[in-house]
Amino acid sequence: MEVKEIIAQHEEKMDKTIEALKRELSSIRTGRASTSLLDRITVDYYGTPTPVKQVANVSVPEPRMITIAPWEPKMLGEIEKAILKSDLGLNPNNDGKIIRLEIPQLTEERRKELSKKVSKIAEDSKVVIRNIRRDANETIKKMEKKKEVTEDDSKEGQENIQKLTDKKIKAIDEIKAKKEKEVMAV
């Protein structure tokens, strides 16, 4: 295996980490309604935990409201219970056919709380990226010890891993800043 292959493998892991970060941040509530708020909510559908989006039509008819229209009327209660049990802090309004979720204006305190949560999630992602860097460097150093690569290739590979790490951490910081701005916007 070459140093380039190792770098490519670890870059792929870093990209997956950033995608996971984006998915996790999309489920954090801002002042606007978004169907991604319901991504982590599952309901019991014939004994199988199923995402709400797979048992209902989810839409955003206005900036502060999400509507959920289940394909089967008996799912209304299940969806309502799942939303109440979730950490979203939203109260579903059920009219017998659809569920309406009003997204209340966030308080300043709640915004700051969410901003801290965003920072923590971003920091956790940075730690994962740094661990991937460490693993890549260790692999390259082992290859150098076994004389599979030259000392120069090893040094160059470690420098490239560092550059890649810096680039990915910068991307995480940009994603974090964008989400914090979104959360803090009134």
Side-chain angles (χ1 to χ4, degrees):
M1 189 182 294
E2 285 189 38
V3 173
K4 286 179 185 172
E5 292 174 33
I6 291 169
I7 292 172
Q9 283 177 350
H10 288 77
E11 182 174 17
E12 191 178 323
K13 289 179 184 176
M14 289 180 181
D15 289 339
K16 286 180 180 174
T17 301
I18 289 177
E19 286 307 309
L21 169 71
K22 287 178 182 174
R23 266 194 316 278
E24 195 167 349
L25 290 181
S26 75
S27 66
I28 291 180
R29 197 177 91 177
T30 59
R32 295 184 60 85
S34 167
T35 60
S36 61
L37 287 175
L38 302 174
D39 285 352
R40 292 181 297 149
I41 297 178
T42 58
V43 292
D44 184 39
Y45 186 65
Y46 295 108
T48 308
T50 310
V52 169
K53 289 181 177 181
Q54 291 181 15
V55 297
N57 184 21
V58 180
S59 62
V60 181
E62 47 190 83
R64 295 201 175 278
M65 183 178 289
I66 298 174
T67 58
I68 305 163
W71 294 316
E72 294 179 33
K74 68 177 183 177
M75 291 306 296
L76 269 173
E78 289 287 334
I79 294 171
E80 204 170 5
K81 277 189 245 171
I83 292 168
L84 287 169
K85 273 195 259 177
S86 73
D87 62 352
L88 290 176
L90 297 175
N91 287 326
N93 296 328
N94 174 352
D95 71 0
K97 289 192 171 111
I98 65 170
I99 295 172
R100 287 182 180 79
L101 291 175
E102 291 264 344
I103 309 296
Q105 189 77 26
L106 293 174
T107 63
E108 187 67 27
E109 188 180 316
R110 183 71 177 135
R111 276 193 191 68
K112 287 178 182 171
E113 236 174 75
L114 289 173
S115 184
K116 284 179 186 172
K117 186 176 180 182
V118 167
S119 293
K120 185 191 180 320
I121 292 168
E123 191 54 45
D124 291 347
S125 294
K126 287 182 190 179
V127 169
V128 171
I129 295 284
R130 291 183 192 116
N131 287 340
I132 293 169
R133 173 190 62 192
R134 186 195 63 225
D135 293 345
N137 285 339
E138 284 174 2
T139 305
I140 292 171
K141 286 175 187 172
K142 283 178 187 170
M143 288 173 66
E144 183 186 345
K145 272 187 181 170
K146 292 179 185 173
K147 304 286 186 217
E148 292 174 11
V149 296
T150 65
E151 189 177 328
D152 290 344
D153 286 346
S154 173
K155 275 199 170 43
E156 184 184 337
Q158 290 178 48
E159 285 171 12
N160 288 340
I161 285 286
Q162 184 57 50
K163 287 177 189 166
L164 185 63
T165 302
D166 293 342
K167 185 174 128 187
K168 299 301 179 185
I169 284 183
K170 185 176 182 228
I172 288 173
D173 285 337
E174 289 168 3
I175 292 166
K176 175 186 141 200
K178 183 180 172 201
K179 186 65 178 185
E180 283 179 334
K181 184 179 174 191
E182 207 178 288
V183 167
M184 293 308 282
V186 178

